[in-house]
Amino acid sequence: MVTRAAKTTNKNLVEVRNLVKYFPVENSDNVLRAVDGVSFEIVGGETLGLVGESGCGKSTVGRCVLRLYEPTAGEVLFEGRNIIDLAPADLQKLRREMQIIFQDPYASLNPRLSILSIVSEPLKIHGISNKTEQRDRVADLLKKVGLDPNYVNRYPHEFSGGQRQRLGIARALALNPKLIVCDEPVSALDVSVQAQVVNLLQDLQSEFGLTYLFISHGLAVVEHISDRVAVMYLGKIVEIADARDLYADPLHPYTKALLSAIPIPDPRQKRERIVLAGDVPTPIDPPSGCRFRTRCPWAIEDCAKVVPELREIKPGHVAACIRVEGYDSAQVSTGR
């Protein structure tokens, strides 16, 4: 069995620095602040889980990391190279190293193409191997993801949701990438199938030395698969820690509220539920200071004035909250 420590290389494969992505609002001078100054790194061979409520910007982060969206500002370094500055030809070469698994396994597969065409498409785009070699590669990939290689001439509508997601995984593996962004890859699947797909992803990671950015709002799934977890709220990361540490001792009040909502399978056990007041503010006009303050049970007057930065509260555990013990609020930014 490969341990978490054995999987990682201790060298950053991806570094995201002050990533910003704004979208224009139609018929308005305003912008939607989907991602507003996000920074993190992913060590080679590890899984970084990225969690948060729907609309917090986590999928936008994943697409910016792959430059499927052009960031408004910031840097995305892959093996030390800033991909934001790459010319189209250089970016296409780099795409062999970075792939994505989409949330909806049916919408991401062209219904007019056979499985052979779908899974071999990355090989064709990058001019890798001839038709015979491509067919053999597709058959091998189908075996890797637990499907019959004789399915190559079938079409997406002939498969179940779980099988379609396995096809999406096979396509992502076609070019032997180093990084795979998993954009809520199990949220559209039944619970029993979710477990199979998550176990498959872990097996493939061990076999091929893959690095994952695993985006999800399924906290139990993230705990199972992740080495570290980053928590997002309204376009900003509020906490990052080792998965075991974060789930055992969350520091940020938003993380505490999220984890309190995880169902416990034993009805005899009880957990104090933290119910957040109000609705999530609009990312078009977010609150001043701490963006979570309008719903936070810990909020004080200074929370409206101080923009909390991610700071290490204990080894390997960072949080953005001026009320967390050990946080030096005198050193953080002020203003909007």
Side-chain angles (χ1 to χ4, degrees):
M1 179 178 178
V2 179
T3 64
R4 286 182 171 181
K7 290 192 297 183
T8 58
T9 63
N10 294 322
K11 183 178 180 181
N12 291 339
L13 180 70
V14 177
E15 296 179 51
V16 176
R17 299 175 180 171
N18 298 315
L19 182 66
V20 174
K21 179 59 181 176
Y22 293 166
F23 293 98
V25 178
E26 189 174 0
N27 299 323
S28 172
D29 294 331
N30 294 325
V31 292
L32 188 150
R33 302 165 182 255
V35 179
D36 205 2
V38 164
S39 299
F40 60 86
E41 65 283 331
I42 309 176
V43 176
E46 79 165 347
T47 298
L48 176 68
L50 185 59
V51 302
E53 294 171 284
S54 296
C56 70
K58 54 188 185 294
S59 291
T60 303
V61 168
R63 290 169 187 250
C64 286
V65 166
L66 299 178
R67 223 179 115 179
L68 296 178
Y69 289 159
E70 290 292 339
T72 304
E75 296 180 322
V76 178
L77 277 65
F78 184 87
E79 295 186 319
R81 300 174 67 192
N82 186 5
I83 71 169
I84 309 302
D85 297 332
L86 292 181
D90 294 329
L91 181 61
Q92 183 173 353
K93 293 177 183 178
L94 187 63
R95 290 204 186 282
R96 294 178 59 172
E97 309 290 345
M98 306 183 298
Q99 294 294 309
I100 185 170
I101 301 169
F102 294 97
Q103 177 178 358
D104 187 338
Y106 189 66
S108 64
L109 303 176
N110 190 329
R112 296 184 177 184
L113 297 182
S114 68
I115 300 311
L116 175 61
S117 297
I118 290 172
V119 179
S120 65
E121 189 171 20
L123 301 173
K124 296 174 184 175
I125 290 173
H126 289 273
I128 299 174
S129 65
N130 57 42
K131 288 186 177 181
T132 300
E133 293 170 334
Q134 289 172 3
R135 189 181 185 90
D136 291 342
R137 174 65 173 160
V138 171
D140 182 60
L141 287 169
L142 292 183
K143 289 180 183 178
K144 293 291 185 185
V145 299
L147 295 176
D148 191 328
N150 294 318
Y151 290 168
V152 291
N153 294 319
R154 294 189 180 185
Y155 289 81
H157 73 273
E158 300 180 77
F159 294 87
S160 67
Q163 289 175 322
R164 291 181 197 132
Q165 196 59 290
R166 290 173 185 265
L167 292 171
I169 295 171
R171 179 176 57 186
L173 290 173
L175 297 172
N176 291 317
K178 295 178 181 178
L179 171 70
I180 297 182
V181 174
C182 306
D183 188 6
E184 304 204 33
V186 298
S187 63
L189 307 178
D190 293 337
V191 174
S192 59
V193 180
Q194 286 184 13
Q196 296 172 17
V197 172
V198 167
N199 289 335
L200 172 63
L201 289 171
Q202 290 182 306
D203 291 341
L204 293 171
Q205 184 178 43
S206 297
E207 182 175 355
F208 297 107
L210 299 169
T211 303
Y212 292 145
L213 174 60
F214 192 91
I215 300 167
S216 179
H217 56 258
L219 296 172
V221 174
V222 169
E223 180 183 18
H224 178 71
I225 196 173
S226 300
D227 298 293
R228 293 185 301 124
V229 177
V231 182
M232 276 194 75
Y233 181 81
L234 204 62
K236 289 185 175 290
I237 289 181
V238 298
E239 187 166 0
I240 305 176
D242 177 85
R244 295 186 182 90
D245 189 23
L246 184 133
Y247 279 78
D249 184 25
L251 298 178
H252 196 279
Y254 177 63
T255 309
K256 291 176 181 287
L258 280 183
L259 298 185
S260 75
I262 300 177
I264 299 176
D266 187 348
R268 294 170 296 181
Q269 295 184 19
K270 293 185 179 180
R271 174 188 288 147
E272 182 181 354
R273 176 71 188 275
I274 302 174
V275 179
L276 299 178
D279 297 323
V280 180
T282 172
I284 297 176
D285 186 24
S288 62
C290 175
R291 295 191 173 184
F292 184 58
R293 67 176 176 80
T294 58
R295 305 174 70 199
C296 179
W298 291 4
I300 57 176
E301 185 177 344
D302 283 350
C303 294
K305 304 173 184 177
V306 177
V307 180
E309 297 176 357
L310 281 172
R311 290 187 178 272
E312 190 171 63
I313 309 302
K314 55 183 180 178
H317 197 148
V318 298
C321 176
I322 65 173
R323 301 216 61 196
V324 172
E325 185 178 352
Y327 196 98
D328 186 357
S329 61
Q331 298 183 28
V332 301
S333 302
T334 59
R336 193 177 167 74

